């Protein structure tokens, strides 16, 4: 016995329902995996499975989507699979296609209902993560988690590798070690597929001398575990009863080791960007999971090297969004605009400044030529005003895992990379340019008196940006300095300036100021003890 699908029947027979006008019909506000389609009772599809399947096949051919008929609902409507979550804008177009058929009573998303409570992870130190939760100075991340937590997105952490940590391991996938300098590598071999961080502690003067003949570093420095800290900010799993939650706890972390003892050179870092995006790099296995987001919490003063720009352009062309720290020279005697810091001054990227727990530009943060600001912390008053994340207690080689407060534009950048993972999980088809536009358009403005020098569009707001992403963000046109996917003018074969030092000697890496209050202007007494 054939059951008629719900719909309007002018004769009054069969099930009836008011048809939905396409002009007033629901639109998709977030990614959708299924549609519910009802036909008017006199339509052939209301009585024939074959006709339903034929209509869906025709729609698939017209739209290019992988549509399939799943089953009839108890009310008689058809449940149609879209072959996985599709961007809201594509789903809206598909619904309009069905609604144009005079035999269709309605076509609506098969929405998902959620308990109407704010997500609150059971991670024991989540309450200390003010950067995610505090209304005026945080990123409003919990409200974004009502839509997504970053599932299906990979974030490459182009940094100093990663140390094993029980609050990270579940989200870490295969990475790579691209350090070609044996002093920096500190692991007894060259490039390989093992991105483990063996530690990057150095003794005074071990990294040579600066231009004035002063030893580098000026004092002994312990291992920074910088990449491990970035990884936790971006995507530490939530609801595992352990430590913290990352901005995108459902995303995957891809460690790309390019810095180590004494930093890392630009050539290795550009290779890291290429590998993360899925390009072939000699000496290591190819990347089987190219990154959707590339986090670069590193840099040095100087111009953007042309080969770095070329690597970034190729990554963007392949669909990766590249996020870069503005740099930590804002508190110097001669503060530095981000335009003087690289790769913050490269094109086709998102450049991130840092804010403190009062909503001001952090005193150390570069400013000016930046796109967006995010929490980076400032521990000069209280250690808890820093950014809490995963760490290791070893001063040299890895020891016991722990958690630690740190500050810097590195941490701010990691927050934005996590946000982009949330946006891409909500709408996988977004381009780097659309992502940049959405983040800036949905930022919370920062008044000039709180951000001398300029903090771009303001403080990133995760809930607003993810909501915009779920609706489908319009293209941003082709601004000359946006992540548009088109190669920038600087991505040429022209040689670098003759005044620039060779790439192999231009070391870069985590700024020392990011390694806790002892490396900022905060008194040493505020430095948290390292637990073992």
């Amino acid at each position: 016995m054939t059951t008629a699908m719900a719909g309007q029947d002018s004769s009054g027979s069969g099930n009836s329902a008011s048809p939905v006008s396409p002009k007033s019909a629901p639109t998709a506000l977030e990614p959708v995996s299924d549609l519910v389609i009802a036909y008017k009772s006199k339509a052939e599809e209301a009585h024939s499975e074959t006709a339903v399947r034929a209509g869906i096949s025709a729609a698939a051919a017209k739209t290019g989507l992988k549509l399939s008929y799943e089953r009839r609902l108890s009310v008689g409507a058809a449940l149609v699979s879209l072959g996985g979550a599709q961007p809201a804008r594509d789903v809206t177009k598909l619904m309009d296609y069905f609604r144009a058929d005079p035999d269709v009573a309605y076509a609506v998303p098969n929405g998902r209902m959620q308990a109407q409570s704010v997500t609150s992870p059971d991670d024991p130190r989540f309450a200390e993560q003010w950067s995610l939760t505090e209304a005026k100075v945080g990123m409003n991340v919990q409200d974004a988690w009502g839509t997504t937590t970053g599932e299906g997105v990979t974030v490459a952490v182009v940094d100093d590798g990663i140390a094993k940590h029980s609050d990270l391991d579940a989200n870490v996938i295969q990475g790579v070690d691209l350090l070609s300098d044996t002093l920096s590598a500190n692991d007894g071999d060259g490039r390989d597929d093992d991105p483990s961080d063996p530690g990057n502690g150095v003794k005074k003067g071990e990294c040579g001398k600066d231009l004035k003949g002063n030893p580098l570093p000026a004092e002994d420095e312990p291992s920074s575990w910088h990449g491990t800290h970035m990884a936790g900010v971006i995507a530490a799993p939530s609801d595992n009863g352990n430590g913290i939650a990352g901005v995108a706890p459902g995303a995957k972390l891809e460690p790309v080791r390019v810095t180590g003892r004494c930093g890392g050179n630009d050539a290795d870092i550009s290779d890291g960007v290429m590998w993360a995006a899925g390009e072939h790099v000699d000496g290591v296995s190819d990347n089987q999971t190219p990154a959707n987001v590339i986090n670069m919490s590193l840099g040095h003063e100087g111009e953007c090297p042309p080969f770095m720009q070329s690597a970034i352009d190729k990554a963007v062309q392949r669909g990766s969004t590249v996020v870069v720290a503005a740099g930590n020279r804002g508190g110097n005697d001669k503060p530095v605009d981000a335009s003087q810091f690289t790769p913050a001054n490269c094109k086709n990227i998102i450049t991130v400044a840092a804010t403190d727990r009062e909503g001001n530009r952090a005193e150390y943060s570069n400013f000016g030529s930046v796109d967006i600001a995010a929490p980076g912390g400032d521990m000069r008053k209280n250690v808890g005003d820093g950014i809490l994340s995963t760490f290791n207690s070893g001063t040299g080689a890895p020891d016991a895992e722990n958690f630690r407060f740190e500050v810097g534009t590195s941490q701010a950048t990691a927050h934005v990379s996590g946000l982009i993972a949330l946006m891409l999980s909500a709408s996988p088809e977004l381009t780097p340019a659309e992502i940049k536009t959405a983040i800036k358009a949905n930022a919370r403005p920062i008044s000039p008196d709180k951000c001398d020098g300029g903090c771009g569009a303001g403080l990133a707001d995760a809930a607003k940006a993810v909501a915009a992403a779920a609706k489908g963000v319009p293209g941003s046109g082709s601004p000359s300095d946006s992540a548009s996917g088109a190669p920038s003018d600087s991505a040429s074969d022209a040689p670098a300036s003759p005044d620039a030092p060779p790439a192999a000697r231009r070391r870069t890496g985590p700024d020392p100021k990011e390694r806790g209050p002892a490396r900022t202007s905060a008194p040493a007494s505020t430095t948290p003890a390292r637990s073992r």
Side-chain angles (χ1 to χ4, degrees), residues 28-31 88 143-144 147-148 419 422-423 426-427 438 442 461-473:
L29 300 179
E30 58 186 37
D143 287 344
T147 300
T148 178
L419 166 56
L422 295 177
M423 295 171 69
S427 187
N442 291 282
D461 188 299
K464 291 180 180 179
V466 170
K471 293 177 183 178
V473 180

Side-chain angles (χ1 to χ4, degrees), residues 308-324:
M308 185 72 73
Q309 185 64 66
S310 180
I312 290 170
D313 288 341
K314 289 183 179 179
V316 172
Q317 287 173 342
R318 293 182 69 105
S320 300
T321 300
V322 182
V323 193
V324 177

Side-chain angles (χ1 to χ4, degrees), residues 50-72:
T50 300
V52 172
R53 295 181 189 277
I56 291 171
S57 295
K62 180 73 173 178
T63 63
L65 297 174
K66 296 180 180 179
L67 309 180
S68 62
Y69 171 60
E70 293 296 305
R71 59 184 173 86
R72 290 187 192 274

Side-chain angles (χ1 to χ4, degrees), residues 166-507:
S166 61
D167 205 17
L168 289 179
D169 292 346
N171 280 350
V172 176
I173 62 175
Q174 180 61 50
V176 71
D177 178 359
L178 292 174
L179 280 167
S180 59
D181 184 298
T182 55
L183 173 65
S184 293
N186 195 35
D187 59 1
D189 55 26
R191 293 182 166 185
D192 55 38
D193 296 343
D194 181 5
S196 300
D197 184 358
N200 59 5
V202 291
K203 300 294 184 182
K204 177 180 177 179
E206 195 170 4
C207 299
K209 297 181 179 180
D210 63 17
L211 296 177
K212 296 181 179 179
N214 299 316
L216 294 174
E219 59 183 22
D220 293 357
E221 292 185 352
S223 293
S224 67
W225 312 112
H226 191 267
T228 303
H229 204 266
M230 298 307 102
V233 173
I234 296 167
S238 63
D239 292 323
N240 61 356
N242 184 11
I244 63 166
V247 176
K252 295 302 181 183
L253 295 160
E254 185 172 74
V256 181
R257 187 168 183 247
V258 294
T259 65
R261 298 170 75 233
C262 306
N265 65 67
D266 288 346
D268 287 348
I269 293 169
S270 67
D271 278 351
V273 173
M274 293 281 280
W275 187 90
E279 294 280 356
H280 173 74
V281 175
D282 289 341
V284 293
S285 300
D286 288 343
N287 187 354
Q288 301 302 313
T289 53
N292 308 100
V293 188
I294 299 176
N295 186 89
M296 299 180 72
S297 291
L298 40 72
H300 61 74
E301 290 185 53
E303 298 180 358
C304 178
F307 58 86
M308 185 72 73
Q309 185 64 66
S310 180
I312 290 170
D313 288 341
K314 289 183 179 179
V316 172
Q317 287 173 342
R318 293 182 69 105
S320 300
T321 300
V322 182
V323 193
V324 177
N328 297 340
R329 301 291 191 271
N332 287 13
D333 293 337
K334 295 181 179 180
V336 176
D337 186 290
S339 63
Q340 299 172 257
F341 208 75
T342 195
N345 55 12
C346 296
K347 297 182 180 181
N348 287 342
I349 61 171
I350 296 176
T351 305
V352 187
T355 55
D356 61 23
R357 199 169 181 174
E358 296 178 352
N360 306 303
R361 175 177 70 83
E363 60 87 24
Y364 54 79
S365 177
N366 289 357
F367 48 80
S369 301
V370 301
D371 296 305
I372 197 71
D378 184 340
M379 297 191 288
R380 290 178 299 168
K381 294 180 180 178
N382 299 294
V383 171
D385 292 343
I387 306 300
L388 182 66
S389 189
T390 44
F391 210 72
N392 191 279
S393 63
T395 57
D399 201 330
E401 65 177 50
N402 64 0
F403 299 88
R404 182 176 168 92
F405 288 96
E406 299 280 325
V407 302
T409 55
S410 282
Q411 282 71 17
T413 302
H415 278 85
V416 173
S417 291
L419 166 56
I420 295 170
L422 295 177
M423 295 171 69
L424 284 170
S425 181
S427 187
E429 300 303 317
L430 287 175
T431 66
E434 290 172 330
I435 289 167
K436 183 174 184 176
T437 295
I439 290 175
K440 295 175 72 171
N442 291 282
R444 303 203 298 273
I446 300 175
S447 61
D449 63 308
K450 286 182 171 290
C451 188
D452 54 309
C455 287
L459 181 65
D461 188 299
K464 291 180 180 179
V466 170
K471 293 177 183 178
V473 180
S476 63
S478 55
S480 61
D481 63 345
S482 75
S484 63
S488 68
D489 293 338
S490 59
S492 67
D493 294 327
S497 165
D499 296 328
R505 296 184 62 184
R506 293 179 63 187
R507 299 187 180 280

